[in-house]
Amino acid sequence: MMATAINTLGRNSLRRRSLHEEVADCVRTMIIEGELKEGERINEPALCKQLDISRTPLREALKVLNSEGMVTIEPNRGARVSTITPEEIREHFEVICSLERRAAELAAQRATEAELTRLGQLQDKLEQYHQEQDKHQYFEINQHIHRLIIELAGNETLTQLHHQLMNRVSRGRYLAIGFHHRWEESVTEHRALLEALQARDGERAGRILAEHVMHTGDLLVRELEDKQQRLG
């Protein structure tokens, strides 16, 4: 699947952006969507063949993912996909919750009407992909909406902190879509958030987004704790 993703971008496209950045995007997606599993050692020769690349851009990409906490590079042993504990998930989501609450409050004040219209268009796509049960496209649009709200806050420090944390929990957020009741709730929460932003009600928008984020975080913590208990 990911070899196709690299190839469909085209080599000219890859030259406009660093090849290792494109490779990092592909490997990141493989981790998020579970093609590369937590704790799994990354087979560099096999991955190079799959993505049709040399070892150098892959190793540079792995360094990027290591800085994001998505892979762990072990001296003389290569890289493996990082694992994340329930405690780490809880801590990360507590901080993400605060960042996104503040971002929604600021976005309600600072977003232009055109930007709010763009959010509405993304919400329509989100609901369409939910109806079609297209998990991959839904997740991409969902990520886009969250990133856009962060950007509309107009605070670069907040944006950077949010980006760093979101990379660590992206795999868990993708898994949460698989829980049908949570997927339904998430769509409803996103619609309520949009309405609050359109009404320029920053307090309500912040509260809705904070609750939305923590609903997902709490669910993931419970699922990971249950998994640990099952595995003994």
Side-chain angles (χ1 to χ4, degrees):
M1 179 184 74
M2 299 313 299
T4 302
I6 283 280
N7 291 332
T8 56
L9 288 170
R11 291 297 173 181
N12 290 333
S13 172
L14 292 180
R15 292 192 186 97
R16 288 196 296 271
R17 191 173 175 225
S18 297
L19 177 58
H20 80 267
E21 292 178 316
E22 298 289 353
V23 174
D25 285 347
C26 286
V27 178
R28 187 184 297 109
T29 299
M30 295 172 78
I31 293 170
I32 290 171
E33 298 188 357
E35 189 172 346
L36 292 172
K37 303 186 183 304
E38 283 194 355
E40 178 180 343
R41 189 168 298 283
I42 294 174
N43 185 326
E44 292 186 19
L47 197 52
C48 286
K49 182 177 180 180
Q50 182 179 354
L51 300 180
D52 189 24
I53 56 173
S54 67
R55 187 72 69 90
T56 298
L58 177 59
R59 288 187 168 173
E60 290 300 312
L62 292 176
K63 290 177 183 177
V64 172
L65 297 175
N66 179 69
S67 71
E68 296 175 357
M70 298 198 76
V71 305
T72 302
I73 297 176
E74 301 170 339
N76 303 316
R77 300 186 66 187
R80 68 169 63 246
V81 180
S82 299
T83 59
I84 189 165
T85 67
E87 292 75 19
E88 289 173 317
I89 285 283
R90 182 182 293 108
E91 290 178 0
H92 282 47
F93 268 91
E94 285 174 350
V95 179
I96 291 169
C97 173
S98 296
L99 292 174
E100 295 208 15
R101 177 193 285 271
R102 186 56 181 151
E105 292 170 349
L106 292 172
Q109 300 170 17
R110 298 174 177 176
T112 66
E113 290 301 318
E115 289 166 339
L116 291 177
T117 296
R118 176 59 179 153
L119 272 177
Q121 294 168 342
L122 291 171
Q123 177 67 26
D124 290 341
K125 286 186 177 181
L126 188 82
E127 295 180 15
Q128 174 190 336
Y129 290 132
H130 172 247
Q131 291 173 355
E132 295 172 357
Q133 297 291 285
D134 189 331
K135 186 176 178 181
H136 175 79
Q137 292 296 335
Y138 177 92
F139 184 75
E140 290 298 315
I141 293 295
N142 184 48
Q143 293 277 81
H144 192 168
I145 289 172
H146 281 263
R147 285 195 299 266
L148 182 53
I149 291 172
I150 294 296
E151 291 170 9
L152 294 181
N155 185 309
E156 185 60 29
T157 300
L158 189 156
T159 299
Q160 291 178 3
L161 288 171
H162 184 265
H163 176 73
Q164 292 168 9
L165 288 168
M166 286 298 281
N167 282 327
R168 284 290 284 148
V169 300
S170 291
R171 171 61 181 151
R173 292 181 66 248
Y174 186 82
L175 286 172
I177 299 173
F179 307 121
H180 189 72
H181 71 283
R182 180 59 197 142
W183 196 352
E184 295 281 351
E185 287 176 348
S186 181
V187 172
T188 301
E189 290 163 0
H190 268 274
R191 173 57 65 178
L193 171 62
L194 174 63
E195 292 170 356
L197 290 169
Q198 290 172 332
R200 303 289 183 175
D201 189 338
E203 182 179 353
R204 182 158 61 97
R207 183 179 68 254
I208 290 169
L209 187 50
E211 291 174 352
H212 168 74
V213 170
M214 284 313 301
H215 284 165
T216 299
D218 290 343
L219 174 63
L220 290 173
V221 169
R222 290 196 300 271
E223 290 295 325
L224 286 174
E225 289 175 340
D226 289 346
K227 181 180 179 181
Q228 285 184 343
Q229 289 178 357
R230 289 194 301 270
L231 295 175

